[in-house]
């Protein structure tokens, strides 16, 4: 009996086709790629794939494709589809996790550098791919499954943050894709609104108890939070400050991005600006829609006050167009129009008005980060603030209330410490603390469309564990203001994604 079994085994081995050159090449490629991946990531357990590849291509002890020999054609067809789908899902998961990811620009915060409707290929390797922190998730779904609306991931297990070797670190002016730091908590019926600003605006109790209005309050892991894209302006250890739309780093003036946009006030001699003039400047319909209706300025108004506002006096009635969103180049072109008398930065204009009538013009201010400390600051100003750096220490010796307001979220939410501030003293993990040493690097991100960007001025620093990657190129760009083939912005396809550095 034993002899018969051995004879069958020997016959089976003899009948196996010997691997050809093609199989040897595929086997070597697969094994080399596996070893390179292990060296890059340090995931030594992946080496278990080596004997699997050797058996698939060379030894063939395990009948990996035995189902293909089934006599039932229906079974073969079903299993053929299952095999293709599983292989595709594994491939997509592997590629989007470690190498590249698709991202669509949803808002105008980076206009004119990146436009609404741009589809980006994001390079995850440039800063080092981030190891999966929520590994059990469905590929191509950030946090919510379409149609059914359920979570596209399992919350457990949660793995510690780890980043593999990259080509370089983040540089100033880089456009960076990252997980929205303030998106750790979400009201399901207001997912586009910042939960913490909702609480500051409507009250914590209302947001957390009124499910009919706000829905369930859910927590999202770091890598399942919404993807954002902004330009890195402040690096770890920098002191950043914004005064009158000008950014200063460590006291030195920072050159603005080439395509940075601001709101302006345009004064004309009474001539109405046509839609075509705005279109010729390259202004989108979305930007045109935020322009206030032209305001009539009486003739022979107070000349001194007009000069403070940046306007010109006239013996005739003039028109003011407010919140006109333009780049410096667009401003220069607008000033060349014979009917334009002046163009003034919106923030300068509003700050002067607010000094004269603070109650009437409080609506034009923003509550900047952190919401517990600063109130009523224009978007063109931001107080001098130190950006935390890995290994550097914050000392709670003076201005403690300010430091708590600015850095509590970093210490508590991002670096996962118990944090309490009472009676003028700081307690970390139950112990009174005179200082704290940060374990992460942090970045200050801003949009080029400065007056229409929700960025670090509103929700704070971006921790290093939230960094996803850098836009590599635009593979498709669609203009929502147009239809048919004219929707496609052909001149942007396959152009670089990290523009105007």
């Amino acid at each position: 009996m034993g002899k018969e079994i051995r004879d069958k085994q020997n016959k089976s081995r003899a009948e196996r086709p010997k691997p050809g050159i093609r199989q040897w090449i595929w086997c070597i490629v697969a094994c080399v790629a596996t070893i390179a991946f292990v060296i890059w990531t340090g995931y030594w357990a992946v080496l278990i794939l080596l004997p699997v590849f050797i058996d698939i291509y060379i030894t063939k002890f395990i009948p990996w494709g035995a189902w293909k020999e089934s006599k039932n054609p229906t079974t073969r067809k079903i299993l053929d589809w299952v095999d293709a789908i599983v292989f595709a899902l594994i491939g997509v998961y592997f590629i989007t996790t470690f190498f590249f990811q698709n991202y669509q620009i949803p808002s105008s915060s980076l206009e004119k550098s990146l436009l609404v409707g741009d589809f980006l290929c994001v390079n995850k390797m440039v800063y080092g791919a981030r190891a999966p922190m929520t590994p059990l998730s469905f590929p191509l779904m950030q946090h919510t499954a379409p149609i059914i609306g359920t979570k596209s991931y399992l919350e457990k297990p949660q793995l510690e943050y780890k980043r593999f070797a990259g080509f370089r670190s983040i540089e100033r002016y880089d456009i960076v894709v990252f997980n929205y730091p303030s998106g750790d908590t979400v009201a399901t019926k207001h997912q586009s609104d910042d939960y913490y600003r909702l609480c500051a605006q409507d009250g914590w109790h209302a947001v957390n108890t009124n499910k009919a209005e706000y829905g369930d309050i859910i927590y999202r892991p770091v890598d399942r939070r919404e993807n954002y894209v902004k330009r890195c302006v402040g690096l770890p250890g920098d002191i950043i400050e914004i005064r009158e739309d000008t950014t200063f780093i460590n006291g030195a003036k920072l050159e603005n991005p080439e395509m940075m946009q601001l709101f302006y006030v345009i004064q004309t001699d009474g001539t109405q600006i046509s839609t075509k003039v705005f279109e010729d400047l390259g202004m989108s319909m979305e930007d045109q829609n935020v322009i206030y209706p032209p305001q009539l300025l009486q003739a022979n108004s107070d000349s001194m006050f007009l000069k403070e506002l940046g306007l010109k006096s006239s013996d005739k009635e003039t028109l003011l167009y407010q919140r006109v969103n333009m780049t410096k180049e667009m401003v220069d072109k607008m000033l060349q129009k014979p009917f334009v008398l002046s163009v003034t930065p919106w923030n300068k204009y509003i700050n002067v008005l607010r000094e004269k009538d603070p109650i009437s013009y409080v609506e034009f201010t923003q509550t900047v980060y952190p919401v517990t400390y600063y109130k009523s600051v224009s978007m063109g100003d931001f107080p001098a603030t130190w950006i935390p750096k890995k290994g550097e220490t914050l000392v709670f010796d003076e201005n403690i209330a300010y430091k708590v307001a600015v850095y509590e979220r970093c210490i508590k939410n991002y670096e996962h410490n118990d944090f309490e501030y009472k009676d003028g003293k700081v307690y970390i993990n139950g112990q009174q603390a005179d200082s704290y040493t940060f374990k992460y690097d942090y970045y200050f991100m801003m949009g080029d469309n400065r007056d229409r960007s929700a960025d670090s001025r509103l929700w704070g620093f971006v921790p290093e564990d939230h960094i996803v990657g850098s836009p590599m190129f635009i593979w498709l760009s669609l203009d929502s203001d147009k239809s048919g083939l004219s929707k496609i912005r052909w001149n942007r396809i396959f152009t670089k994604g990290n523009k105007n550095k």
Side-chain angles (χ1 to χ4, degrees):
M1 185 71 178
K3 185 175 182 301
E4 292 178 4
I5 293 175
R6 285 195 299 271
D7 289 342
K8 287 182 178 180
Q9 291 176 340
N10 292 333
K11 184 178 179 181
S12 176
R13 291 192 188 100
E15 291 176 350
R16 289 178 195 152
K18 292 184 179 180
I21 295 178
R22 183 178 178 183
Q23 284 75 25
W24 277 103
I25 291 175
W26 277 112
C27 181
I28 292 171
V29 169
C31 290
V32 169
T34 300
I35 293 170
F37 181 80
V38 169
I39 294 172
W40 178 39
T41 64
Y43 285 171
W44 299 102
V46 177
L47 289 175
I48 198 173
L49 292 176
L50 292 178
V52 173
F53 289 138
I54 292 172
D55 188 59
I56 289 174
Y57 293 107
I58 307 300
T59 58
K60 303 183 185 296
F61 283 112
I62 299 175
W64 300 95
W67 54 271
K68 295 181 180 179
E69 300 176 4
S70 172
K71 295 180 180 180
N72 188 323
T74 303
T75 301
R76 288 201 307 270
K77 191 171 183 179
I78 292 174
L79 291 177
D80 194 27
W81 275 102
V82 170
D83 177 69
I85 292 172
V86 170
F87 181 80
L89 289 176
I90 292 174
V92 168
Y93 179 86
F94 186 78
I95 291 171
T96 58
T97 298
F98 297 102
F99 297 98
F100 306 102
Q101 181 177 336
N102 175 56
Y103 178 75
Q104 180 184 359
I105 299 294
S107 69
S108 60
S109 66
L110 275 169
E111 301 253 354
K112 300 293 185 184
S113 302
L114 294 177
L115 307 181
V116 174
D118 282 349
F119 290 79
L120 306 175
C121 177
V122 178
N123 184 350
K124 291 189 169 185
M125 297 180 292
V126 63
Y127 306 131
R130 182 181 57 187
M133 304 167 79
T134 312
L136 301 182
S137 61
F138 204 86
L140 302 180
M141 299 180 189
Q142 181 60 20
H143 48 68
T144 305
I147 303 176
I148 57 177
T150 60
K151 292 180 181 178
S152 62
Y153 59 91
L154 296 179
E155 294 185 357
K156 294 183 180 180
Q158 278 293 306
L159 306 181
E160 290 186 2
Y161 163 66
K162 178 181 179 181
R163 190 173 294 277
F164 309 134
F167 297 111
R168 62 178 178 85
S169 58
I170 295 176
E171 298 172 357
R172 201 182 317 280
Y173 298 118
D174 275 0
I175 294 178
V176 182
V177 177
F178 55 92
N179 297 116
Y180 180 40
S182 199
D184 54 358
T185 309
V186 177
T188 52
K189 290 189 176 181
H190 288 263
Q191 294 196 31
S192 61
D193 296 322
D194 186 299
Y195 166 80
Y196 299 97
R197 297 185 69 80
L198 272 179
C199 290
Q201 173 184 305
D202 301 341
W204 184 93
H205 185 268
V207 174
N208 284 268
T209 58
N210 188 351
K211 286 192 175 185
E213 170 64 24
Y214 299 96
D216 293 325
I217 307 302
I218 62 173
Y219 173 83
R220 284 178 180 157
V222 171
D223 55 345
R224 297 297 103 193
R225 294 169 192 172
E226 203 70 60
N227 284 329
Y228 266 41
V229 58
K230 306 288 179 189
R231 190 181 297 278
C232 179
V233 177
L235 297 172
D238 284 345
I239 295 177
I240 187 168
E241 182 181 8
I242 304 173
R243 301 194 303 268
E244 298 180 354
D245 295 316
T246 301
T247 304
F248 296 85
I249 297 293
N250 303 321
K253 181 180 176 180
L254 187 67
E255 192 72 23
N256 288 326
E258 180 184 340
M259 300 300 288
M260 189 185 84
Q261 290 190 114
L262 295 171
F263 281 153
Y264 291 89
V265 176
I266 299 176
Q267 180 189 16
T268 76
D269 59 8
T271 303
Q272 291 197 2
I273 305 177
S274 68
T275 300
K276 187 176 186 307
V277 170
F278 290 129
E279 289 177 349
D280 289 344
L281 287 177
M283 191 178 298
S284 66
M285 288 301 300
E286 183 183 1
D287 278 344
Q288 292 183 47
N289 289 336
V290 302
I291 300 173
Y292 288 173
Q295 174 187 336
L296 193 65
L297 186 64
Q298 296 297 323
N300 300 312
S301 298
D302 187 325
S303 298
M304 183 175 294
F305 184 46
L306 290 178
K307 188 172 183 179
E308 288 181 43
L309 290 171
L311 306 178
K312 290 186 177 180
S313 57
S314 173
D315 57 359
K316 299 178 181 179
E317 291 182 338
T318 60
L319 287 179
L320 295 184
Y321 286 79
Q322 302 176 56
R323 288 165 53 94
V324 183
N325 207 16
M326 297 187 291
T327 63
K328 183 64 171 63
E329 181 182 4
M330 293 163 72
V331 170
D332 293 339
K333 289 180 179 179
M334 184 62 77
L335 283 170
Q336 293 174 12
K337 306 294 182 184
F339 53 82
V340 173
L341 300 181
S342 67
V343 178
T344 305
W346 167 258
N347 286 308
K348 174 184 177 181
Y349 178 81
I350 288 302
N351 282 338
V352 173
L353 289 180
R354 193 175 59 209
E355 288 179 12
K356 304 294 182 181
D357 189 1
I359 296 178
S360 299
Y361 289 91
V362 70
E363 63 176 294
F364 299 117
T365 62
Q366 296 282 343
T367 304
V368 301
Y369 175 84
V371 295
T372 56
Y373 197 84
Y374 293 114
K375 304 286 184 182
S376 300
V377 179
S378 76
M379 287 293 282
D381 297 288
F382 189 84
T385 303
W386 176 72
I387 305 171
K389 183 176 182 179
K390 181 178 180 179
E392 294 198 357
T393 300
L394 177 72
V395 180
F396 300 108
D397 53 354
E398 55 184 15
N399 300 323
I400 298 178
Y402 160 77
K403 292 177 179 178
V404 168
V406 176
Y407 303 106
E408 175 183 3
R409 184 167 177 79
C410 300
I411 299 170
K412 182 179 179 180
N413 295 61
Y414 304 147
E415 305 201 357
H416 309 296
N417 298 284
D418 292 328
F419 188 97
E420 188 177 9
Y421 177 59
K422 63 181 180 180
D423 302 327
K425 296 181 180 179
V426 172
Y427 295 85
I428 299 177
N429 298 323
Q431 302 293 322
Q432 183 183 340
D434 297 322
S435 63
Y436 179 79
T437 300
F438 291 93
K439 68 177 184 180
Y440 287 154
D441 281 329
Y442 291 81
Y443 301 87
F444 199 93
M445 306 289 187
M446 293 175 65
D448 291 354
N449 199 356
R450 289 292 165 85
D451 291 332
R452 298 194 66 193
S453 173
D455 50 40
S456 287
R457 293 169 292 175
L458 302 185
W459 39 253
F461 313 112
V462 178
E464 63 173 82
D465 67 334
H466 284 58
I467 301 298
V468 174
S470 175
M472 189 163 59
F473 62 86
I474 298 169
W475 61 271
L476 178 64
S477 183
L478 301 177
D479 188 342
S480 60
D481 294 338
K482 298 180 180 179
S483 60
L485 288 176
S486 62
K487 284 178 69 72
I488 302 176
R489 303 184 185 106
W490 297 101
N491 63 322
R492 295 185 65 80
I493 294 178
F494 297 119
T495 58
K496 66 178 183 179
N498 225 316
K499 295 178 179 294
N500 307 313
K501 290 180 63 175

